[in-house]
Amino acid sequence: MPQQPSEQGQSPLPFLAVTGDTLVATAFRPHDREASTHRSPHNQTATTDTRRRHRTPYHRLFAQPGARAFTLGNLIARLPMGMFSVSAVIMIAGSRGSYALAGAVTATGLAATALVAPWTARLVDRYGQARAAVPATAFALLGDIALVLCVHYGAPDWTLFAAYAATATTPNMGGMSRARWAHLFKGDPAAIHTANSFEQAADELCFMLGPVFAVFLCAAFFPEAGTLVGDVLMMTGVLIFAAQRSTEPPPQRRTEKSEKSQSQSKSQPKSPVRATRMPPLLLGFLAMGAVFGSMEVVTIAFADAQGHKSAAGAVLALQAAGSCVAGLLYGALKPAGPAERRYPLCVAAMTVLMTLPLLAASLTGSLLALAGALLVAGMATAPTMVTGMTLVQHRTPEGRLNEGMTLAVTGILGGIACGSATGGWVVEHLSTTAGYGVPAAAAALALAISAAGAARRAVRRQVVRR
């Protein structure tokens, strides 16, 4: 006859039964059910609390200790990035009466930054963000002050080029912030995707507010006000950012022996620029930079031609606003497929949308229609940049992340320099409407580079399969 299970609180006895020639033994453990019953409300409460704390992927990012503090400093330091070029164009064009000169001066400064920035980033990787970024920022601000003095006192044109080139040591704040996220969430691709999306949205926010703030300061006070206020904000933000040592990635010090072994190793290239599949990606960033640089100069000139020069900052802000919103939405969504596949699609979407400002300017000649076109065109920028930066992180050798991302920004800055100079030339020698053909052509070039890279990878896969 089967035995009954023991009473609650006593040691459980096995339930024994015979069926045919088989002995069945089962142990009843009521206290297990009881324990699970007692545990489940606690687990459900903990799960509910976790979900409440992390309602979106962005809540998870800023729940990390120290994340809010370094982000605040970084945003203060990055806001002037959207102010300096616009301030310089307004200041120089208003004083010397030439958009071509203004575009050439800003292009020279950006080109110098493109050359110097990788070296600054290498120092940041080697000695740490705080030790390298603060003196580099201080030196760059001296160049800005020299530019203001040269413009104000009517110095020769060549001094403007020399002064603006001296700002090339400005550290890549966005790259340093992305490096911190990569350090904090190492091995968590979903969190890094959200962090990259937030950083791109922050870039767009700074380039959305920066031009408006710069135009307001230059118009309301004096032409040099935008540059001077930007200098104060940048130094303040860098100091706040550098003070947050708990989230700073450890410096990657290299001895002569490690440099020699690294240069002899094929798996660890000496510089990220020689990493596998990095050069085509950097060329793509160069073309995309030309989109941004030419769009800025052409839009300022177009608004001036329409008699609404003071509205140029607000019109440019709409493009950044579209990109900012798209970036935040993109970061909240789970990416569909690998970044290798998404990148060409994002570039293609950006190429199509960049034709809208050209159509609006040529068909309507209305500043209001142009503003709407820029808002829509900007929506493809953030997803493209986020996906591209993700690829840069994947292809950069370990220990050189800040340098790798700075190379990407360097490509963008070099493109901005080329785009600014080209856009200024087209505006001055052709027309402001024709100027919008420059960003459209630059986007098409980025698409061609991306498509060529994708085709090359497809051919290699077929060869390997054979």
Side-chain angles (χ1 to χ4, degrees):
M1 181 174 179
Q3 299 180 14
Q4 299 299 322
S6 60
E7 296 295 329
Q8 185 174 354
Q10 299 178 359
S11 301
L13 297 176
F15 176 83
L16 302 177
V18 178
T19 59
D21 57 354
T22 304
L23 175 64
V24 179
T26 304
F28 286 89
R29 298 186 182 272
H31 61 284
D32 283 352
R33 292 195 302 271
E34 231 176 25
S36 65
T37 302
H38 287 300
R39 283 195 303 265
S40 58
H42 174 74
N43 289 342
Q44 290 175 359
T45 302
T47 303
T48 303
D49 291 343
T50 301
R51 289 176 178 175
R52 285 176 180 173
R53 288 197 304 268
H54 302 157
R55 291 187 295 272
T56 69
Y58 295 104
H59 285 85
R60 182 187 174 198
L61 288 186
F62 295 105
Q64 189 74 17
R68 296 181 184 180
F70 85 73
T71 299
L72 174 63
N74 194 275
L75 288 176
I76 295 174
R78 280 156 84 175
L79 178 62
M81 299 301 181
M83 299 174 58
F84 286 138
S85 294
V86 175
S87 297
V89 169
I90 294 174
M91 182 171 59
I92 296 171
S95 173
R96 306 298 169 93
S98 173
Y99 279 104
L101 176 63
V105 170
T106 56
T108 300
L110 293 173
T113 303
L115 294 175
V116 176
W119 297 95
T120 305
R122 189 171 296 180
L123 292 175
V124 169
D125 280 333
R126 184 171 297 185
Y127 297 106
Q129 295 182 349
R131 290 185 62 188
V134 174
T137 303
F139 187 85
L141 296 189
L142 293 178
D144 266 333
I145 294 172
L147 176 66
V148 169
L149 293 176
C150 290
V151 172
H152 184 74
Y153 290 103
D157 289 350
W158 67 267
T159 62
L160 307 184
F161 291 91
Y164 208 57
T167 65
T169 60
T170 304
N172 176 17
M173 298 303 299
M176 290 194 295
S177 187
R178 288 177 174 91
R180 292 204 180 203
W181 291 120
H183 169 66
L184 294 175
F185 293 99
K186 188 175 182 180
D188 191 342
I192 292 176
H193 168 75
T194 303
N196 285 340
S197 299
F198 170 78
E199 291 300 325
Q200 186 60 41
D203 282 339
E204 302 300 343
L205 180 65
C206 293
F207 281 99
M208 177 176 65
L209 300 178
V212 177
F213 193 33
V215 171
F216 169 76
L217 290 172
C218 293
F221 298 97
F222 48 91
E224 298 86 359
T227 300
L228 294 177
V229 172
D231 288 341
V232 174
L233 289 174
M234 186 171 184
M235 195 72 243
T236 302
V238 169
L239 290 174
I240 295 174
F241 180 83
Q244 314 307 316
R245 305 300 289 268
S246 63
T247 56
E248 181 180 357
Q252 301 292 327
R253 296 187 180 276
R254 296 177 180 86
T255 62
E256 292 183 3
K257 183 178 179 181
S258 66
E259 289 280 4
K260 184 177 180 180
S261 62
Q262 196 177 60
S263 63
Q264 293 174 349
S265 172
K266 294 183 179 179
S267 60
Q268 285 282 348
K270 185 176 180 180
S271 171
V273 76
R274 298 207 304 261
T276 305
R277 293 181 294 171
M278 185 70 88
L281 192 57
L282 296 179
L283 287 176
F285 279 113
L286 183 69
M288 284 188 283
V291 174
F292 308 142
S294 58
M295 188 71 76
E296 185 174 276
V297 173
V298 173
T299 300
I300 293 174
F302 186 86
D304 191 10
Q306 298 292 317
H308 301 286
K309 185 178 180 179
S310 60
V315 173
L316 286 171
L318 287 175
Q319 180 186 3
S323 183
C324 181
V325 172
L328 291 174
L329 292 176
Y330 190 64
L333 300 175
K334 184 178 179 180
E340 293 279 359
R341 295 180 183 176
R342 286 183 280 122
Y343 182 66
L345 298 177
C346 291
V347 178
M350 186 179 74
T351 302
V352 172
L353 293 182
M354 282 300 161
T355 61
L356 296 180
L358 176 61
L359 293 175
S362 59
L363 296 179
T364 67
S366 167
L367 189 62
L368 183 61
L370 176 66
L374 287 175
L375 175 66
V376 177
M379 292 181 180
T381 302
T384 304
M385 296 298 298
V386 169
T387 309
M389 282 295 183
T390 301
L391 291 177
V392 170
Q393 291 177 348
H394 291 169
R395 297 174 185 179
T396 299
E398 188 175 358
R400 312 292 288 269
L401 183 58
N402 191 73
E403 185 179 349
M405 289 188 293
T406 299
L407 283 171
V409 175
T410 296
I412 295 172
L413 292 177
I416 290 175
C418 295
S420 297
T422 305
W425 187 91
V426 172
V427 164
E428 191 139 316
H429 293 83
L430 298 178
S431 67
T432 55
T433 300
Y436 283 106
V438 178
L445 178 59
L447 178 60
I449 295 171
S450 175
R456 191 179 300 111
R457 289 191 299 271
V459 170
R460 288 178 180 176
R461 291 194 198 101
Q462 291 179 357
V463 172
V464 171
R465 289 175 184 175
R466 292 177 183 176

